[in-house]
Amino acid sequence: MRSIILSFIILLLVVRTLVLNPAFALATSRIGDTNVIYQQRVKHSTDGIGKFYMNREIAKVMGHQVAGWLERPTRGFEERPRLVVEALNLQPTDIVADIGAGTGYFSFRIAPKVPQGKVLAVDIQPEMLDILDSLKQQKNLTNVESILGSFTSPNLPPDTIDLAFMVDAYHEFEYPFEMMSEVVKALKPGGRVILVEYRGENPFIPIKALHKMTQRQVKKEMSAVGLVWKETQEFLPQQHFMGFEKKLMGNG
């Protein structure tokens, strides 16, 4: 009888905690040794998957069926890829991971900048990588390697890349904490992460809300995996260009 009463009291305390602190009501997803808190909501945007991370709904992945949109003729004007690649400040020997590479739009533009290095074009859709590999052969590029990632990892070895680069991709990661934790592991000490995302602060940018991110949200989510914000450049018409670094051991 005493154990039943004790169990009932514990149950009441748990319920009280959930009511007073909704953060404890978040669903927990266990991946390996990492506990990450997500929230699944019944009511959500039709453009999202109903899964929330740090109060942000994760957007649906753009499927390979609309891969042609990544190669649209207007993209050069809208996203200024030449300026983006210049702003990466690449060294000829850099190893760059283009995560969410899609058709290789940026991978192929980065490759000539790292002639003694390599571009690792990562995507979770085999169909996208098939398109990328076909275009790579047409362009006769030898320093672009396609890599099939998973929902939780880019499948890159530890301490091997100088830069992880993501253009309009991060907001679609189904497991952002796990994926970025693995990205951080893959970075060399002092390695960089560059995210290009449409500005969530501006409601007039004609992109669906879930496919935009605010600086504040990006900084919060990158900080959660130990990345340090270094800069935000606003040279693009509609997107943030945000730079982060892997924290060196012993720093803070």
Side-chain angles (χ1 to χ4, degrees):
M1 183 69 177
R2 193 172 180 180
S3 62
I4 295 175
I5 294 173
L6 182 60
S7 298
F8 182 71
I9 292 172
I10 292 172
L11 178 62
L12 286 177
L13 289 173
V14 170
V15 171
R16 180 175 179 273
T17 300
L18 292 174
V19 171
L20 294 179
N21 188 355
F24 281 92
L26 302 180
T28 300
S29 171
R30 185 170 180 82
I31 305 294
D33 296 325
T34 306
N35 285 319
V36 184
I37 297 177
Y38 296 105
Q39 183 180 14
Q40 199 74 35
R41 299 180 188 174
V42 176
K43 292 185 178 180
H44 63 88
S45 170
T46 55
D47 298 320
I49 63 174
K51 183 178 180 179
F52 290 73
Y53 176 59
M54 294 192 175
N55 211 35
R56 172 185 65 86
E57 184 174 3
I58 297 167
K60 290 179 180 177
V61 172
M62 190 188 77
H64 65 276
Q65 297 87 349
V66 290
W69 188 79
L70 298 175
E71 299 290 333
R72 65 193 185 279
T74 58
R75 190 173 183 184
F77 172 75
E78 295 164 354
E79 298 189 4
R80 312 290 169 87
R82 181 180 62 81
L83 296 180
V84 171
V85 173
E86 287 178 359
L88 295 177
N89 293 320
L90 296 167
Q91 301 301 311
T93 57
D94 278 348
I95 307 298
V96 180
D98 181 9
I99 301 175
T103 58
Y105 185 84
F106 273 97
S107 295
F108 300 146
R109 286 164 170 79
I110 293 171
K113 302 291 185 180
V114 290
Q116 287 86 52
K118 185 182 289 188
V119 180
L120 305 174
V122 181
D123 207 279
I124 63 170
Q125 299 181 69
E127 298 87 352
M128 281 289 198
L129 295 180
D130 288 342
I131 296 170
L132 186 149
D133 285 336
S134 177
L135 293 173
K136 181 180 71 171
Q137 288 182 359
Q138 293 177 30
K139 296 175 184 293
N140 196 29
L141 290 169
T142 58
N143 64 336
V144 176
E145 177 185 343
S146 60
I147 295 178
L148 182 63
S150 72
F151 290 117
T152 58
S153 174
N155 291 333
L156 299 171
D159 302 316
T160 54
I161 62 174
D162 299 286
L163 171 67
F165 178 58
M166 287 157 269
V167 178
D168 304 328
Y170 173 75
H171 61 268
E172 296 181 354
F173 291 175
E174 187 170 341
Y175 291 90
F177 183 89
E178 292 87 348
M179 177 64 84
M180 290 309 301
S181 295
E182 292 301 310
V183 167
V184 171
K185 290 178 185 176
L187 288 170
K188 296 175 183 177
R192 298 181 296 142
V193 170
I194 299 291
L195 274 80
V196 178
E197 289 280 354
Y198 279 91
R199 297 183 191 125
E201 298 89 344
N202 187 344
F204 300 108
I205 291 175
I207 296 292
K208 293 178 179 180
L210 294 191
H211 291 269
K212 299 190 283 188
M213 291 191 71
T214 65
Q215 278 199 75
R216 182 178 181 181
Q217 187 70 28
V218 174
K219 289 178 181 178
K220 181 167 63 173
E221 296 187 22
M222 295 303 106
S223 177
V225 295
L227 288 168
V228 180
W229 174 77
K230 302 302 290 186
E231 64 172 350
T232 299
Q233 297 188 41
E234 302 291 12
F235 60 87
L236 296 173
Q238 302 180 94
Q239 296 156 295
H240 294 302
F241 179 102
M242 302 189 67
F244 299 83
E245 281 188 3
K246 181 175 182 176
K247 188 183 295 184
L248 294 171
M249 294 297 293
N251 287 4

